[in-house]
Amino acid sequence: MARVTSASVTVDGETVGEITEPGLLVLLGVHVDDTSDTAVVMARKLHELRLLRDEQSCATTGAPLLVVSQFTLYGDTRKGRRPSWIAAARPEVAEPLVSATVAELRARGAVVATGRFGANMAVASVNDGPFTVLIDL
């Protein structure tokens, strides 16, 4: 998760998600052990963590979030020369959990833009700080 002044995601030359004001760019990886309960907890964390300037949160400021699925976050590079993706959830498990996280954020009143699951996405962002944090549940 990165605090940004703006961010966008483009697929095949088309902008599919964008935030144009300060908020959070969330690169969301789903682990093989994650469940629907994980999505609820993650949404709450993303919405309420005081990561914005002046120790504010998206919940207190209404700042937007751009959520982009990224299975490569669970790449294991400890052995050999090729990452292992064994810890990343399969697409048929991950996609519904990414959608559930986004739905839970929106149910909390958050403004959320998204990428396109499984697509080759070009992500652009202007990091504010820079300020980037790993949130692991």
Side-chain angles (χ1 to χ4, degrees):
M1 185 286 320
R3 186 175 69 197
V4 297
T5 57
S6 63
S8 64
V9 61
T10 304
V11 176
D12 296 329
E14 173 193 358
T15 299
V16 296
E18 178 177 42
I19 59 174
T20 58
E21 59 189 85
L24 300 177
L25 169 60
V26 178
L27 302 176
L28 183 59
V30 178
H31 190 271
V32 293
D33 295 333
D34 288 346
T35 66
S36 57
D37 290 339
T38 308
V40 172
V41 173
M42 180 58 76
R44 181 183 54 78
K45 280 271 192 197
L46 292 170
H47 198 226
E48 295 180 3
L49 274 175
R50 297 183 306 177
L51 301 174
L52 301 175
R53 296 231 175 233
D54 300 321
E55 293 190 20
Q56 295 292 314
S57 69
C58 290
T60 60
T61 65
L65 301 96
L66 174 57
V67 178
V68 179
S69 62
Q70 188 172 351
F71 81 92
T72 59
L73 291 172
Y74 282 108
D76 184 350
T77 60
R78 290 177 287 181
K79 293 182 188 175
R81 296 177 295 153
R82 198 177 325 186
S84 167
W85 311 113
I86 198 160
R90 303 270 317 146
E92 58 273 11
V93 172
E95 185 172 14
L97 291 179
V98 170
S99 295
T101 302
V102 169
E104 188 67 28
L105 280 164
R106 288 179 175 150
R108 297 176 64 79
V111 175
V112 183
T114 64
R116 187 173 294 154
F117 190 92
N120 185 13
M121 296 177 276
V123 179
S125 66
V126 179
N127 200 308
D128 180 14
F131 188 94
T132 304
V133 175
L134 175 66
I135 301 171
D136 193 11
L137 302 179

